[in-house]
Amino acid sequence: MNSFLGRYDCVVVGAGPAGSAAAIAAVRAGMSTAVVDAAPAGRDKTCGDGLTPRAVHALKTLGLESALPAYRNRGLKLHGYGGSVTAPWPRSVYGTEGSASPRMLFDAALANLASTTGADVFYNCPATGVSFGADGSISAVETPRGQIHARWVIVADGVRSPFGKKLGRQWHRGEVYGIAARSYCDSPLASEPWMHSHVELNDADGQIQPGYGWIFPLGSGQVNLGCGALSTDARPAKVNTKKLLVQYADQVHDEWQLGEPQNITSALLPMGGAVSGVAGPNWMLIGDAAACVNPLNGEGIDYGLETAIMAVDLIQSMNPGADATLTWPWVLRESYGEAFMLARTAARLLTYPQFLPIAGPVAMRNLGGRYLMPAAARLMGNLITEEDKDLVARAWRAAGKVVSGLRADTPLWDLV
């Protein structure tokens, strides 16, 4: 017979930023809360480590300023195709300050705050199974240490979401997904107040890849250097991202006075809500597990923090016995649907090899550099404006002259 770890109002699966934020929000809402995580304390993850103004704002909303490092950045600088574009963070309700923090430090800081706030955090304790009640709701989460009984379950177990899969979560690879590699490099320019992206990314044969390289200063003597490519089942990105990262580091070595890339990791990344099965009667997937990730650049920390808050707010608002199966996908669509559709559109264009060589020089120079690329930078920062929507629509129509066979987006979070 299974041992018993406890009975809680809320069990959170995963102690990353989304899971820890959900636990903190749940405890503050008066719920007894447990967090289970398969990894030991001090976990790492393939990530650019950037914190957009939306992420900074979400941390402040939770009262977690102590998790923010002192370093601040002012926006993005985009380079490629013979041009450069500076795109400051736009003035908005989220503020104009971004930041960055290595995930090993950031995740640990938030998990420690969850524990000190009052959540019970169990490391090296994966959620390996689930028990259901007669109505299809989760009655208990199974772990190697024993059962944890739950009134609500919030699933924040990352891009692969092994526990989400047990609940029926499916990833739909017909939509754009990301493949990425990340490293850390010593650099005397690590306090540079701009995040840098190179949108013209070539492989060893000089072929333009459907992605970009990044250098995100961390303010600590190191930069996060990585590269990502966009892919679909129909148009897979045939690239070794770890090898491409080393080539990219060589290309920018002198400019950034880089040390050797360290701690190189890679990952696949479902994006833009391209998963189904994200909710049940008393459970919800949030953050990366729900593919709440920007389809242009893989940014997901801000969405992880926001969906954590949203999930707990929904729990508080629901009457006893209410069912979240349809409500949670609706909340996600209302919050992110339009922006994700726009970003999906832009990202899908980049997966067509004939599109970039034509559109890249236009986008990075003259009027394109003045208007289109700053709009793309705002899309990357999840800070879309009404003017940006019109620009993306125009680019989509123009692309029809270059790319054939474009299709409309499929729905978000309820794909069948």
Side-chain angles (χ1 to χ4, degrees):
M1 178 175 292
N2 287 335
S3 57
F4 180 60
L5 275 184
R7 186 182 304 275
Y8 295 87
D9 294 323
C10 183
V11 173
V12 180
V13 179
S20 294
I24 292 166
V27 170
R28 290 179 176 170
M31 288 186 269
S32 58
T33 304
V35 182
V36 297
D37 195 275
R43 50 183 279 166
D44 193 12
K45 183 197 171 186
T46 301
C47 182
D49 295 340
L51 299 173
T52 68
R54 283 185 75 146
V56 172
H57 180 266
L59 288 170
K60 291 180 178 179
T61 299
L62 286 165
L64 303 180
E65 289 91 341
S66 61
L68 280 169
Y71 169 77
R72 294 290 184 273
N73 57 51
R74 297 163 55 189
L76 293 171
K77 287 191 175 183
L78 305 172
H79 313 279
Y81 301 101
S84 292
V85 174
T86 297
W89 301 123
R91 294 191 178 278
S92 69
V93 296
Y94 304 107
T96 58
E97 285 190 335
S99 186
S101 177
R103 284 297 297 269
M104 188 173 290
L105 300 178
F106 187 67
D107 285 23
L110 287 182
N112 288 338
L113 285 169
S115 179
T116 57
T117 300
D120 292 334
V121 182
F122 300 93
Y123 294 109
N124 294 307
C125 187
T128 54
V130 61
S131 297
F132 292 100
D135 61 352
S137 63
I138 294 175
S139 59
V141 174
E142 309 283 349
T143 80
R145 302 187 197 178
Q147 281 190 340
I148 305 179
H149 288 202
R151 187 167 66 88
W152 285 94
V153 177
I154 295 176
V155 183
D157 57 345
V159 293
R160 296 181 181 178
S161 193
F163 189 73
K165 289 178 184 177
K166 295 180 184 296
L167 301 175
R169 181 247 203 195
Q170 296 183 50
W171 173 15
H172 301 269
R173 296 196 186 197
E175 294 300 329
V176 174
Y177 60 91
I179 56 176
R182 173 228 71 189
S183 70
Y184 293 104
C185 300
D186 295 332
S187 171
L189 304 179
S191 296
E192 153 75 9
W194 296 91
M195 303 166 74
H196 291 253
S197 295
H198 291 81
V199 296
E200 182 182 6
L201 191 60
N202 300 313
D203 64 15
D205 298 323
Q207 295 294 315
I208 297 175
Q209 297 301 301
Y212 76 109
W214 72 75
I215 302 172
F216 293 169
L218 298 172
S220 60
Q222 288 191 317
V223 298
N224 181 309
L225 181 145
C227 64
L230 300 172
S231 188
T232 68
D233 272 357
R235 294 174 302 283
K238 299 175 182 178
V239 60
N240 181 321
T241 52
K242 289 186 176 181
K243 184 176 179 180
L244 189 61
L245 180 150
V246 174
Q247 294 167 355
Y248 175 54
D250 287 342
Q251 293 169 16
V252 296
H253 175 273
D254 292 344
E255 179 185 357
W256 284 83
Q257 303 172 51
L258 295 176
E260 286 297 311
Q262 307 165 32
N263 193 17
I264 300 175
T265 61
S266 62
L268 291 175
L269 190 62
M271 303 187 293
V275 296
S276 57
V278 297
N282 68 334
W283 55 269
M284 292 168 276
L285 271 62
I286 66 172
D288 287 358
C292 291
V293 176
N294 190 299
L296 270 178
N297 67 347
E299 163 58 32
I301 294 176
D302 46 10
Y303 295 126
L305 297 172
E306 289 177 357
T307 54
I309 297 169
M310 290 156 52
V312 173
D313 285 346
L314 179 60
I315 291 172
Q316 289 184 279
S317 71
M318 298 186 77
N319 295 321
D323 191 320
T325 304
L326 299 178
T327 307
W328 181 239
W330 179 85
V331 169
L332 293 175
R333 287 192 295 272
E334 285 293 298
S335 300
Y336 304 124
E338 184 177 27
F340 275 5
M341 287 292 190
L342 285 168
R344 274 188 187 181
T345 296
R348 190 180 299 122
L349 290 174
L350 298 177
T351 67
Y352 287 85
Q354 65 267 49
F355 178 74
L356 271 173
I358 297 173
V362 174
M364 289 299 295
R365 302 174 192 165
N366 302 321
L367 292 178
R370 186 179 301 175
Y371 298 108
L372 185 58
M373 291 312 293
R378 288 189 289 272
L379 273 170
M380 291 179 184
N382 308 322
L383 299 165
I384 193 72
T385 68
E386 290 298 322
E387 293 78 9
D388 297 332
K389 297 174 187 177
D390 182 56
L391 280 169
V392 172
R394 286 190 226 168
W396 176 252
R397 289 192 293 270
K401 301 174 183 178
V402 180
V403 177
S404 61
L406 296 176
R407 63 176 178 79
D409 277 287
T410 47
L412 301 100
W413 294 291
D414 61 351
L415 304 176
V416 294

